[in-house]
Amino acid sequence: MTITLYHFPQSRSLRVAWLLEEMGLEYTLKTIPAATAREYAKTPEYQAINLLGKYPTLIDGDLTMVESVAIMDYLMHKYDAGSLKPDVSSPDYGPFTQWLHFGESGMGMYVIMLFAHSYLLPEEHRSARIAEWGRAETHKCLEFLASGLGDKDYLCTSGFTAADISVFYMLYLLKIIRQFDDAPDNLKAYFDRLKQKPVWQKISAIEA
């Protein structure tokens, strides 16, 4: 097994690194420093494996993948995911699948628009209208998440799964840009609970 993960701090590669660690898989982590990440993404070396010039990129033998949630799905089907992925016969399988993908396809666009137009882009390129739209739609997503979570510790009744990893990344971005303060209380408690996970503590240490 020769798994390599290209990682850029605060990028979606965090999801993949967390899952790899939880699954106990051996892998090589190639962390690209934030100061040089954009330049490295344009190099012939990186373009040869990812024409998008984004992160993550995962290489597993002869296979190269670049979509974080798809990578998670692939890893859990190819290798033993244990309790991180409910069995298809479990009542948790449907909710698990929904939340796994909701972390990106359901709320990703809104969070990224809010992120870009309130934090990432230079002031002259930001749009207050887009930021407000992103904020409103993100709030709907947080309310939906809070409703699905209810009084459970995690999104699935069986406990912590890869779906929590997927969703956590978006909450992490909102926390970075200080747009999480108005989240429902159960989501705030959920976020704090996930932050205490030993693997997150290990993975987040590489963000410094």
Side-chain angles (χ1 to χ4, degrees):
M1 180 170 58
T2 56
I3 296 176
T4 300
L5 175 64
Y6 287 80
H7 167 66
F8 167 47
Q10 298 184 359
S11 78
R12 291 168 173 84
S13 51
L14 276 169
R15 286 176 172 145
V16 182
W18 191 345
L19 182 63
L20 286 166
E21 289 284 342
E22 292 283 358
M23 291 177 65
L25 298 176
E26 294 182 9
Y27 69 103
T28 299
L29 184 67
K30 293 195 174 183
T31 301
I32 313 303
T36 60
R38 294 192 182 205
E39 290 75 16
Y40 180 72
K42 298 174 184 177
T43 63
E45 176 187 356
Y46 197 66
Q47 288 283 303
I49 60 171
N50 188 341
L51 282 172
L52 292 172
K54 307 291 185 182
Y55 305 93
T57 297
L58 179 123
I59 300 175
D60 184 11
D62 295 329
L63 176 69
T64 299
M65 296 184 70
V66 302
E67 289 290 334
S68 63
V69 175
I71 291 170
M72 295 173 73
D73 201 23
Y74 161 78
L75 290 171
M76 288 187 289
H77 277 87
K78 182 170 182 180
Y79 303 104
D80 182 14
S83 62
L84 293 164
K85 177 181 177 292
D87 187 82
V88 68
S89 63
S90 167
D92 267 334
Y93 185 75
F96 163 79
T97 303
Q98 171 176 276
W99 296 123
L100 177 71
H101 292 281
F102 184 76
E104 186 61 40
S105 61
M107 65 187 300
M109 178 174 68
Y110 310 123
V111 173
I112 295 304
M113 288 296 100
L114 177 57
F115 185 84
H117 289 273
S118 64
Y119 178 83
L120 183 64
L121 293 173
E123 288 280 355
E124 63 271 19
H125 294 153
R126 296 180 190 178
S127 165
R129 293 181 66 182
I130 293 178
E132 187 51 43
W133 170 77
R135 186 175 294 107
E137 294 299 322
T138 295
H139 179 74
K140 292 180 185 177
C141 290
L142 293 179
E143 292 288 345
F144 180 60
L145 269 174
S147 176
L149 179 64
D151 60 0
K152 303 190 300 295
D153 284 347
Y154 304 106
L155 289 167
C156 292
T157 57
S158 58
F160 176 72
T161 69
D164 297 297
I165 296 174
S166 176
V167 165
F168 177 86
Y169 176 70
M170 287 299 163
L171 305 185
Y172 173 67
L173 288 185
L174 291 173
K175 192 74 172 178
I176 288 174
I177 61 174
R178 300 179 181 178
Q179 296 289 337
F180 194 61
D181 291 346
D182 294 332
D185 288 341
N186 65 333
L187 272 192
K188 291 180 181 178
Y190 169 71
F191 181 84
D192 289 340
R193 193 156 46 246
L194 289 172
K195 278 202 314 180
Q196 300 308 312
K197 287 284 185 182
V199 172
W200 170 252
Q201 295 288 320
K202 177 180 178 179
I203 293 299
S204 62
I206 65 177
E207 296 297 279

